[in-house]
Amino acid sequence: MHVAYICIDPGIPVFGSKGASVHVQEIVRSWLARGADVTIYCTRTGDAVPADLRGVRVVSHPIARGSGPDRERSQREAAATLAAQAVQDGVTAVYERYSLFSDALTRITSASSVPGILEVNAPLIDEQRTHRTLHDEAAALGALKNQLSAAAVIACVSDPVAAWIAGHAAPNFPTKIITAPNGVNVNRIGPSPEDNGAPTVVFVGTLKPWHGVRDLIEAKALSDGSWNLRIVGDGPEGAGLRELAAVKGVDVEFTGASTPAEVPALLVGCAIAVAPYPRTEREEEQYFSPLKIYEYCAAGLPVVASEVGQVPAIIDHQVTGLLVEPSNPAALAAALDELAGTPLARRTMSVAARRFAENHSWDAVLDAILEGSDL
């Protein structure tokens, strides 16, 4: 089987360090594990190519930086060009990560009569309209409807995303829509003994407002001081968060940006992981399936996380971690203090977290997506 993995989104380097990049790489690995020959068709490659994926063929059609109608038109042109190349390459199946303005899956399945799977990770049209600028919404909606009609399976990362897709589908829509939450590579990330001394609490992610790291630093300042804090990653809020830590007089280890290959080593020795997502104005904005929480669990780390969106479906309160009120640094501090002071509870949660992760591997995610299909 020759699978075309397609990602037209210029904001996602397939060999980058952001969560979306990890998702791309892991799905490609799972296709390879099934014995497929995979070619990646994308608009942005990135330069952090994992050693085990260096043999994967990549066809790139770069899009110039910028914004506005020209960029939207460039995305449509890239989809057409890459789809034509995939048809020429003789692919026998298509797996596309949903991107604004792309109709690549539609073009390939129509030209070659091969099965196609559309993976949807966010309500991109709503996101673009709300947080950025969407110039040609009619074109974006038209491309989405065409993709939905052409796909044999539509795999949505969460139930809210699946509901969004269903809302855009035609009446009596025959295509199979399923919910396929994120997974984790349990071979790449595993448990390790805690370091001696005060427990280390770790956060992994891009330092952007919607990850709630400001609340985490506030919580550290309010805590009883019984735990250390390590923040893995960097981003637009990096400088401001370092300044906040200095103002609050708290000692925080900022590791800086890291590649996915470096993350497992940065989790070694940690005792607790945290996902302090803030409260949002609208509940429907909490549609994401948090990749970091699955990785925390694979590392055998009890997780303290905000009780928002899909998180309660992942973290079993008092079993694999603790759920806290979002945007409440005092509650977050109290939960972290509690776990830091109870090593037996941490050990019990560690075993449960790892067991949970082992049942949510990326191979299992792809198996669920393909179940009942012709692939």
Side-chain angles (χ1 to χ4, degrees), residues 200-205 211-213 215-217 219-220 227-232 267 270-277 290 292-293 296-297 301-306 311 315 322 324 331-333 335-336 339:
T200 296
V201 172
V202 65
F203 167 88
V204 178
H211 284 159
V213 184
D215 289 336
L216 176 56
I217 292 176
K220 176 61 175 169
W227 45 275
N228 300 319
L229 178 57
R230 176 182 297 167
I231 295 177
V232 178
L267 296 177
C270 295
I272 305 166
V274 62
Y277 295 107
K292 64 165 57 64
I293 294 182
Y296 292 159
C297 289
L301 296 174
V303 182
V304 177
S306 300
V311 175
I315 295 302
L322 300 175
V324 299
L332 181 59
L336 290 168
L339 269 185

Side-chain angles (χ1 to χ4, degrees), residues 12-43:
I12 301 176
V14 296
F15 296 128
S17 59
K18 58 171 59 178
S21 303
V22 172
H23 194 292
V24 170
Q25 294 162 32
E26 294 295 358
I27 290 294
V28 168
R29 285 190 178 99
S30 289
W31 273 113
L32 294 171
R34 294 176 69 92
D37 177 21
V38 180
T39 299
I40 298 173
Y41 301 85
C42 64
T43 59

Side-chain angles (χ1 to χ4, degrees), residues 85-287:
Q85 183 62 58
V87 171
Q88 183 178 325
D89 291 341
V91 300
T92 57
V94 186
Y95 187 105
E96 181 167 6
R97 183 184 176 101
Y98 167 55
S99 304
L100 283 173
F101 305 107
S102 175
D103 62 352
L105 181 148
T106 305
R107 290 173 178 271
I108 298 168
T109 57
S110 174
S112 302
S113 298
V114 299
I117 297 167
L118 185 67
E119 175 194 284
V120 185
N121 295 283
L124 293 182
I125 294 173
D126 293 357
E127 276 193 350
Q128 190 77 8
R129 184 196 311 116
T130 302
H131 300 293
R132 304 177 190 91
T133 303
L134 184 58
H135 295 275
D136 194 344
E137 184 165 342
L141 283 167
L144 173 60
K145 290 181 182 297
N146 287 338
Q147 296 279 78
L148 297 183
S149 297
V153 177
I154 301 168
C156 302
V157 78
S158 66
D159 289 339
V161 171
W164 183 78
I165 284 295
H168 286 287
N172 302 317
F173 188 59
T175 302
K176 184 178 181 182
I177 302 175
I178 67 168
T179 297
N182 280 328
V184 65
N185 188 327
V186 293
N187 296 318
R188 185 173 69 88
I189 301 176
S192 65
E194 294 181 12
D195 287 340
N196 294 326
T200 296
V201 172
V202 65
F203 167 88
V204 178
T206 308
L207 303 186
K208 293 184 176 180
W210 52 84
H211 284 159
V213 184
R214 184 167 293 271
D215 289 336
L216 176 56
I217 292 176
E218 296 276 4
K220 176 61 175 169
L222 294 170
S223 75
D224 61 14
S226 62
W227 45 275
N228 300 319
L229 178 57
R230 176 182 297 167
I231 295 177
V232 178
D234 210 341
E237 286 208 312
L241 292 170
R242 290 176 175 86
E243 181 179 349
L244 176 63
V247 169
K248 293 292 182 178
V250 296
D251 186 19
V252 180
E253 177 191 358
F254 288 92
T255 69
S258 60
T259 66
E262 293 168 336
V263 168
L266 291 166
L267 296 177
V268 169
C270 295
I272 305 166
V274 62
Y277 295 107
R279 179 180 288 106
T280 56
E281 292 184 6
R282 298 179 300 166
E283 178 63 26
E284 57 265 30
E285 293 179 353
Q286 304 282 8
Y287 59 79

